[in-house]
């Protein structure tokens, strides 16, 4: 199943929902960054959340970035998505290894530790919207749920998950977001809460062979679910040589002149997608003129 996202409504538009399967793009990120299982899980969860939040944006050019920073060994991960189903992400420390948590699951919360989740919405205005909340568990789904309640005053249920194969490749990845609209009636809220309390994990739903549509059917089938839109999603970085040149200039005059003195071409990798860019000594000599 290729990666895609669906949008839906239920209960006469008193509920809106999103679901995504993101196995291929999570596996792409794992390979690009050579991430350990716990970091693969963290990145896959965050990118799934970012894709669904990207699908909530109103303007064509809006970009949404989710940033987690914590005191745990992973220190931080970042994912950026737009409304066209494009997402990318990277980890500050891709190779963190941790024992499983007390539920026998990958310890994403332990990898993050105490810290914060920051949501940055760039809507082309002078200043982006920034909302920051304390991490609740660092498991990402809980933290996004808390963010929606606190920063956007939208009661929501967020489930994101990544399941690994024994060989540490990605077996399943995806998630859902269910949101209550302000005019929802109490009876529907109660029924929905009861329903959600019976739901197993996202990864077990996906691993049973369910598509995003079927995942929403399981969650909201009793509420008059209506799938309204479907969109392909993928890992996409918008880097080019010029952007990598700027990164190279920013490493500083001393480092650049050392590279030139070595007399060898160098390879510089994009931090976000790990694509390699080569620079000849002559190119380095041109770039050093721009160094401060
Ligand atoms: Zn890139």
């Amino acid at each position: 199943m290729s990666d895609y996202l669906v949008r839906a409504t239920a209960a006469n538009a008193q509920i809106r929902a999103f679901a995504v399967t993101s196995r291929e793009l999570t596996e792409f990120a794992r390979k690009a960054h050579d991430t350990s299982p716990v970091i693969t899980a963290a990145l896959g969860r965050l990118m799934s959340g970012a894709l669904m939040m990207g699908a909530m944006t109103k303007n064509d050019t809006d970009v949404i970035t989710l940033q987690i920073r914590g005191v745990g060994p992973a220190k931080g991960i970042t994912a950026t998505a737009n409304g066209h189903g494009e997402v990318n992400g990277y980890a500050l420390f891709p190779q963190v290894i941790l024992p499983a948590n007390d539920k026998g699951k990958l310890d994403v919360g332990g990898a993050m530790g105490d810290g914060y989740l920051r949501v940055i919405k760039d809507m082309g205005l002078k200043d982006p919207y920034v909302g920051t909340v304390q991490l609740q568990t660092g498991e990402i789904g809980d933290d996004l749920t808390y963010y929606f309640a606190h920063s956007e005053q939208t009661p929501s249920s967020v489930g994101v998950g990544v399941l690994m194969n024994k060989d540490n490749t990605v077996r399943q990845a995806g998630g859902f977001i269910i949101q209550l609209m302000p005019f929802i009636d109490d009876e529907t809220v109660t029924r929905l809460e009861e329903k959600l309390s019976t739901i197993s994990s996202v990864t077990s739903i996906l691993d049973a062979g369910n598509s995003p549509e079927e995942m929403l059917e399981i969650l909201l089938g009793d509420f008059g679910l209506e799938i309204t839109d479907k969109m392909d999603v993928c890992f996409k970085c918008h880097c080019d040589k010029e952007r990598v040149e700027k990164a190279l200039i920013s490493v500083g005059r001393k480092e650049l002149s050392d590279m030139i003195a070595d007399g060898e071409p160098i390879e510089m990798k994009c931090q976000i997608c790990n694509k390699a860019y080569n620079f000849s000594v002559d190119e380095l000599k041109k770039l050093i003129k721009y160094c401060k």
Side-chain angles (χ1 to χ4, degrees):
M1 186 163 46
S2 293
D3 294 343
Y4 68 93
L5 178 151
V6 292
R7 258 184 278 249
T9 64
N12 296 319
Q14 296 181 94
I15 297 171
R16 74 166 177 174
F18 303 82
V20 64
T21 178
S22 58
R23 192 196 68 79
E24 286 182 11
L25 65 93
T26 303
E27 176 64 11
F28 181 93
R30 183 194 71 77
K31 279 200 204 128
H33 298 294
D34 192 20
T35 46
S36 65
V38 71
I39 300 298
T40 307
L43 259 187
R45 291 181 191 179
L46 197 68
M47 289 194 297
S48 296
L51 276 168
M52 291 186 281
M53 291 172 75
M56 294 172 190
T57 56
K58 293 188 177 68
N59 306 307
D60 236 21
T61 53
D62 291 354
V63 174
I64 185 147
T65 298
L66 304 183
Q67 230 176 40
I68 289 183
R69 292 293 180 269
V71 298
K75 301 282 184 242
I77 56 171
T78 300
T80 299
N82 60 25
H84 309 287
E86 295 174 343
V87 68
N88 60 59
Y90 66 95
L92 297 180
F93 291 90
Q95 269 101 34
V96 171
I97 306 269
L98 280 182
N101 65 18
D102 54 14
K103 295 185 188 110
K105 297 269 166 73
L106 290 167
D107 192 4
V108 173
M112 297 305 149
D114 290 335
Y116 62 82
L117 162 70
R118 179 164 287 162
V119 177
I120 304 157
K121 292 184 191 175
D122 186 345
M123 294 173 283
L125 306 171
K126 189 159 146 273
D127 295 312
Y129 161 88
V130 181
T132 307
V133 291
Q134 291 289 315
L135 291 181
Q136 299 303 297
T137 61
E139 295 284 335
I140 299 173
D142 302 334
D143 306 302
L144 289 170
T145 298
Y146 185 78
Y147 162 81
F148 281 119
H150 266 252
S151 292
E152 300 200 0
Q153 286 75 47
T154 306
S156 307
S157 175
V158 182
V160 283
V162 174
L163 184 67
M164 307 297 291
N165 286 310
K166 287 218 165 60
D167 65 358
N168 289 338
T169 56
V170 179
R171 182 176 172 87
Q172 299 292 349
F176 66 82
I177 297 178
I178 294 172
Q179 299 197 305
L180 309 186
M181 298 295 102
F183 46 86
I184 193 165
D185 61 70
D186 294 344
E187 191 250 329
T188 306
V189 175
T190 308
R191 275 174 58 220
L192 182 62
E193 281 171 351
E194 279 167 13
K195 181 73 195 180
L196 293 178
S197 68
T198 67
I199 295 300
S200 57
S201 67
V202 166
T203 49
S204 60
I205 294 173
L206 288 171
D207 210 35
N210 291 300
S211 65
E213 291 93 329
E214 289 163 334
M215 176 155 53
L216 290 183
E217 187 63 37
I218 290 168
L219 297 165
L220 297 171
D222 302 339
F223 296 83
L225 175 72
E226 203 179 317
I227 305 285
T228 55
D229 192 18
K230 178 176 168 176
M231 169 170 76
D232 288 336
V233 297
C234 66
F235 190 105
K236 174 94 182 167
C237 178
H238 294 274
C239 66
D240 53 24
K241 192 156 180 175
E242 200 179 328
R243 192 180 287 198
V244 180
E245 278 175 2
K246 283 186 189 138
L248 203 48
I249 290 164
S250 72
V251 303
R253 179 173 290 276
K254 164 90 176 62
E255 285 76 6
L256 223 54
S257 65
D258 287 349
M259 291 175 196
I260 292 167
D262 287 341
E264 297 281 342
I266 65 133
E267 185 185 87
M268 183 90 173
K269 283 183 172 164
C270 168
Q271 185 194 24
I272 294 166
C273 69
N274 223 31
K275 185 174 172 189
Y277 291 87
N278 293 300
F279 291 89
S280 68
V281 175
D282 282 342
E283 284 175 305
L284 293 175
K285 282 179 182 165
K286 277 182 200 139
L287 291 181
I288 200 167
K289 292 177 192 150
Y290 298 101
C291 286
K292 287 194 184 107

PDB file of all heavy atoms in Angstrom, residues 237 239 270 272-273, ligand 1:
ATOM      1  N   CYS A 237      12.197  16.618   0.225  1.00  0.00           N
ATOM      2  CA  CYS A 237      13.059  17.699   0.713  1.00  0.00           C
ATOM      3  C   CYS A 237      13.243  18.678  -0.432  1.00  0.00           C
ATOM      4  O   CYS A 237      13.403  18.275  -1.586  1.00  0.00           O
ATOM      5  CB  CYS A 237      14.399  17.139   1.147  1.00  0.00           C
ATOM      6  SG  CYS A 237      15.546  18.408   1.707  1.00  0.00           S
ATOM      7  N   CYS A 239      15.745  20.681  -0.952  1.00  0.00           N
ATOM      8  CA  CYS A 239      17.122  21.190  -0.969  1.00  0.00           C
ATOM      9  C   CYS A 239      17.644  21.304  -2.406  1.00  0.00           C
ATOM     10  O   CYS A 239      17.144  20.659  -3.326  1.00  0.00           O
ATOM     11  CB  CYS A 239      18.045  20.299  -0.140  1.00  0.00           C
ATOM     12  SG  CYS A 239      18.274  18.638  -0.783  1.00  0.00           S
ATOM     13  N   CYS A 270      22.872  17.059   2.751  1.00  0.00           N
ATOM     14  CA  CYS A 270      21.729  17.819   3.252  1.00  0.00           C
ATOM     15  C   CYS A 270      21.315  17.221   4.592  1.00  0.00           C
ATOM     16  O   CYS A 270      21.156  16.009   4.724  1.00  0.00           O
ATOM     17  CB  CYS A 270      20.576  17.741   2.253  1.00  0.00           C
ATOM     18  SG  CYS A 270      19.028  18.348   2.922  1.00  0.00           S
ATOM     19  N   ILE A 272      18.522  17.355   6.033  1.00  0.00           N
ATOM     20  CA  ILE A 272      17.136  16.883   6.089  1.00  0.00           C
ATOM     21  C   ILE A 272      16.937  15.560   5.335  1.00  0.00           C
ATOM     22  O   ILE A 272      16.263  14.669   5.827  1.00  0.00           O
ATOM     23  CB  ILE A 272      16.192  17.983   5.546  1.00  0.00           C
ATOM     24  CG1 ILE A 272      16.235  19.172   6.508  1.00  0.00           C
ATOM     25  CG2 ILE A 272      14.774  17.467   5.392  1.00  0.00           C
ATOM     26  CD1 ILE A 272      15.631  20.433   5.943  1.00  0.00           C
ATOM     27  N   CYS A 273      17.543  15.420   4.145  1.00  0.00           N
ATOM     28  CA  CYS A 273      17.284  14.202   3.356  1.00  0.00           C
ATOM     29  C   CYS A 273      18.543  13.381   3.116  1.00  0.00           C
ATOM     30  O   CYS A 273      18.482  12.311   2.512  1.00  0.00           O
ATOM     31  CB  CYS A 273      16.635  14.549   2.030  1.00  0.00           C
ATOM     32  SG  CYS A 273      17.742  15.402   0.906  1.00  0.00           S
TER      33      CYS A 273
HETATM   34 ZN1  LIG B   1      17.604  17.651   1.256  1.00  0.00          ZN
END
